[in-house]
Amino acid sequence: MIGSSTAGIVFLPPPLSIATHSLKPGKVGRRYSASLAASGGTGTFKWSLASGALPKGLRLSASGVISGKPKVKGKKSFVVRATDPAGASAKAHLTIVIA
């Protein structure tokens, strides 16, 4: 069971939501790093790419860090997903502009 119980009252964790709504721009050939944030849910979140693709040269770690060296100029939109150990998940649409 998720949550805790005291005298028959069950306390559920707040719903999982992604707090990152925008990402800083990057430059071709320069190191890029941005940490994603979420709140609610239970425990440590696992991050993944739900749809779309990151700019060539960047990757998303399971801990929610987008990093690498962008290789191509442009604007890329994608959807990230955060999942907690109880299986709750949330998605967010994000965009990175590479100059």
Side-chain angles (χ1 to χ4, degrees):
M1 175 183 282
I2 301 172
S4 61
S5 175
T6 304
I9 300 171
V10 176
F11 299 97
L12 297 175
L16 179 59
S17 65
I18 296 180
T20 303
H21 301 290
S22 63
L23 295 168
K24 65 183 180 181
K27 292 194 179 233
V28 171
R30 291 210 179 155
R31 186 146 264 326
Y32 183 92
S33 182
S35 295
L36 304 179
S39 62
T42 61
T44 303
F45 310 120
K46 180 180 175 186
W47 292 87
S48 60
L49 200 57
S51 66
L54 294 172
K56 189 173 182 180
L58 296 183
R59 64 181 285 279
L60 171 62
S61 72
S63 61
V65 177
I66 297 173
S67 63
K69 286 186 180 179
K71 297 183 178 188
V72 180
K73 290 181 182 182
K75 180 178 179 179
K76 281 285 205 173
S77 294
F78 50 91
V79 178
V80 295
R81 175 187 294 121
T83 305
D84 74 10
S89 66
K91 295 179 186 177
H93 295 265
L94 297 172
T95 300
I96 297 178
V97 176
I98 306 297

